[in-house]
Amino acid sequence: MMLIDEARHWWRLWSVRFYALVGVGVGFVCDHPEALTGLVAYIPPFWRPAAASAFSLTVFVILPALLRVLKQRLPNGK
């Protein structure tokens, strides 16, 4: 099966690495929620909704789509 044969190379894809970093970030925020509240305190209250929307769209929509669309070569040349 082609999908399983290439599974050992998935970690080399940029999109997979990106989501691994996002997972680490989410784990850190869940373990240390005061770090997130301290970071949000630097953003003026007027800009917080826009900053949250921009961050969410960038991290969960735009960057993964761009990373997945970019041509990435697996070690076996595909």
Side-chain angles (χ1 to χ4, degrees):
M1 201 169 13
M2 181 65 88
L3 185 63
I4 301 300
D5 292 340
E6 294 181 358
R8 62 188 175 107
H9 299 295
W10 288 349
W11 69 272
R12 293 179 187 241
L13 295 174
W14 298 337
S15 54
V16 174
R17 290 179 180 181
F18 174 74
Y19 272 120
L21 288 174
V22 169
V24 169
V26 169
F28 177 78
V29 169
C30 288
D31 194 37
H32 303 289
E34 67 278 357
L36 183 61
T37 56
L39 181 63
V40 170
Y42 285 107
I43 302 172
F46 178 76
W47 290 104
R48 287 181 189 162
S53 297
F55 180 78
S56 298
L57 281 173
T58 301
V59 170
F60 295 107
V61 177
I62 297 170
L63 281 177
L66 285 175
L67 291 173
R68 200 60 198 119
V69 169
L70 291 174
K71 180 74 175 164
Q72 301 176 54
R73 295 186 65 104
L74 289 174
N76 61 1
K78 291 185 178 182

